[in-house]
Amino acid sequence: MIPAHVPDEPPLTYADSFDIPVLFRNGPAKKPRRQWRTAKHKPWTGSDGFPAADGWYAPTTTWREIIKAATEVGRDVTPHLQNQPRYAHGELVARVSPLYAYLGAHPVRPRHPLPGAKSRRLTWNPVYAHGTERSAKIAAGYRLGMTMTEWARRSLLGLGQTEHLELGGPIPALLKTFKDPKKKLPDLWGHHETEQLYWLIEAKGGDVGLKKLREGWQQLAAGSKALGAYGHRIVLVGASVRPDDDLFLTIDHDLHPGRPPLDSAGSDTGDEAAGPGNLEDRLGDSDDALIGAARAQMLAYLALRSAPAAQLRTVPVAADRTSRRRRSGLTTPLEDDSLTLAMRAEAREAPTDAEQHTLRAGIRSMGLDDFLSCRIPGTEVHLGMSRKLFAACERLHEEDLAIARRTPGLRAEDQPPVDLELSDEAQEEQRLTQRRVFREQQEEARPRLRPLLRDAYERGATSDWSDLLRRSEEPDLDLRGDESLLEAATPETYVAVSRDDLPPARV
């Protein structure tokens, strides 16, 4: 049983900010002995790469930022959902529910507090500590590791979109090497725009000790050997936490200078680089960034596309994307977006009994846009996006459908019946082959996709939601707002969480 001294209290209502201790170092070492609490941490000032010096840092983030990372990390399952987009809701639930189920928060008193720190950190909650079986803990550790790695590489280190290395690495001539099933390689690779390097990334989560880190370092070393003479950095992120202690990250890294990277078509990198960190910051001048942003939001797009009309709403957000300038991280909490708050207040003073079309025209004349959003069933998470990004996702979805239709073996009806005698490993190898074929087809289509998605993105700015959703009625425009929600936005996406469903704090 959970010990009697643990209070049985409802989750508290508080701002969703936490400090995440992060240790940068040049290779795996023993787990630091409570240095996440006792070390003198440096303030995190934001970075488009690695900080100038290794050591302890304590950046502050929000639950919204962590949840956004959770919804966008993992294998791309959208090719499997072409005909059943409603199942996108289930995948989103699977990505966020372990965090809600097992994470809590607690107040801390660091020996060397930083100015502006929240003195509140994440930890495992009593359910995980006292009532969760080993297999569930392993699954939760995996999800935690992937989520916090996504958070670190994008919110802290400015790395853009990543790809799973199992689908083939960054160098076309080395595809067979990266696909060698005998090689145990790291999880992800990406191209860091500021550093002009390939990054190889491995994620570990849970009670991460030296043995697990050494295993990850060996995976990275194998990937590094495969990349050979191309300049790259290897990055090992360990998201470690024990019950009653603080969640902290170790980021072990090593730099390998070498030849400059290639672009996605296999030629020298040009002006179409996707840009650092948030792909959405470069959508105006990079077609590849637009493709990457649409690809990253396909799961959210499918969830919005398939949601019943009664569950959809649109929320007003300042059309001026520069109002959401971030000092760090990807999202801007809307309580910090003074322009959006001021224009929302002005919009609420206007008559609200007009038709939806008239209301939308009115807020757009004020400088507001309205982002489509819905609550993901089974969670208290709300996801959304702008009409421009929605239109780009729709065009990308159509192209993915065409790939499945014209490529032999990708349609489910063209595949042989599942051989129940095959081992789990053999079945996984079959599925991996299909994912690789689909990914190769997507990359071959990239040159043709650039103008198509650009045209859809620009046309989306003047499209009605009824046209984009292919429904006769517009979703409700929510001018009153929901005080129970904590909202955040990027230039083109929206995320909100319930104030009353945050990780419970313990005294």
Side-chain angles (χ1 to χ4, degrees), residues 244-373:
D244 297 319
D245 227 326
D246 308 346
L247 167 65
F248 71 95
L249 304 188
T250 55
I251 300 183
D252 301 312
H253 60 98
D254 194 13
L255 181 62
H256 298 262
R259 294 167 58 187
L262 309 175
D263 72 1
S264 57
S267 59
D268 289 340
T269 303
D271 295 333
E272 291 292 334
N278 190 5
L279 296 168
E280 298 168 36
D281 290 336
R282 293 286 307 278
L283 298 191
D285 58 10
S286 171
D287 293 337
D288 282 335
L290 179 56
I291 293 174
R295 183 77 61 204
Q297 296 302 322
M298 282 301 290
L299 200 60
Y301 161 79
L302 293 175
L304 291 166
R305 157 70 68 196
S306 61
Q311 295 179 7
L312 293 173
R313 67 184 184 119
T314 61
V315 293
V317 181
D320 180 8
R321 270 58 173 168
T322 62
S323 71
R324 296 188 285 280
R325 294 190 182 278
R326 302 172 302 281
R327 289 188 297 272
S328 63
L330 295 179
T331 62
T332 298
L334 289 189
E335 64 266 25
D336 295 339
D337 185 353
S338 57
L339 181 60
T340 289
L341 294 181
M343 287 194 291
R344 279 182 172 185
E346 181 182 355
R348 284 193 291 268
E349 294 177 359
T352 57
D353 56 353
E355 294 183 355
Q356 290 288 312
H357 184 77
T358 303
L359 288 175
R360 289 183 207 282
I363 69 164
R364 295 180 83 172
S365 67
M366 296 178 185
L368 284 167
D369 196 358
D370 58 323
F371 283 23
L372 184 70
S373 75

Side-chain angles (χ1 to χ4, degrees), residues 16-212:
D16 68 332
S17 297
F18 313 94
D19 305 319
I20 308 289
V22 182
L23 173 61
F24 288 86
R25 56 190 186 182
N26 60 7
K30 291 183 178 179
K31 183 181 295 184
R33 291 184 177 273
R34 291 187 61 81
Q35 292 175 10
W36 52 88
R37 190 77 63 83
T38 61
K40 188 172 183 178
H41 291 58
K42 303 180 184 71
W44 186 261
T45 56
S47 172
D48 283 338
F50 274 78
D54 285 344
W56 281 101
Y57 295 82
T60 297
T61 191
T62 65
W63 186 242
R64 285 163 276 186
E65 187 99 355
I66 292 172
I67 290 300
K68 182 172 178 62
T71 63
E72 296 177 8
V73 68
R75 283 176 173 165
D76 181 11
V77 301
T78 56
H80 304 286
L81 306 177
Q82 302 294 339
N83 299 314
Q84 292 84 17
R86 289 180 185 270
Y87 285 98
H89 295 273
E91 176 64 20
L92 288 166
V93 171
R95 294 183 179 193
V96 303
S97 58
L99 306 181
Y100 273 100
Y102 296 129
L103 283 179
H106 60 185
V108 298
R109 291 184 179 180
R111 185 173 298 175
H112 304 282
L114 284 172
K118 301 302 179 181
S119 297
R120 185 169 52 245
R121 297 178 182 175
L122 293 172
T123 186
W124 292 129
N125 65 23
V127 175
Y128 177 96
H130 303 285
T132 303
E133 61 180 330
R134 183 171 180 269
S135 57
K137 289 183 177 181
I138 293 172
Y142 165 79
R143 179 52 55 188
L144 179 70
M146 293 297 290
T147 297
M148 298 311 298
T149 297
E150 176 81 357
W151 171 80
R153 63 126 183 135
R154 296 191 68 191
S155 297
L156 296 186
L157 303 175
L159 180 65
Q161 189 180 27
T162 57
E163 304 288 347
H164 279 260
L165 204 57
E166 65 182 15
L167 301 182
I171 310 301
L174 301 176
L175 287 182
K176 291 183 178 180
T177 301
F178 286 114
K179 293 178 182 179
D180 187 347
K182 297 179 181 179
K183 293 182 180 292
K184 192 168 179 59
L185 298 173
D187 294 320
L188 306 165
W189 73 270
H191 172 241
H192 198 287
E193 175 64 15
T194 302
E195 289 199 336
Q196 285 294 297
L197 291 171
Y198 294 122
W199 280 22
L200 300 178
I201 307 144
E202 175 64 20
K204 300 295 183 184
D207 187 5
V208 182
L210 182 57
K211 180 181 178 181
K212 189 179 291 188

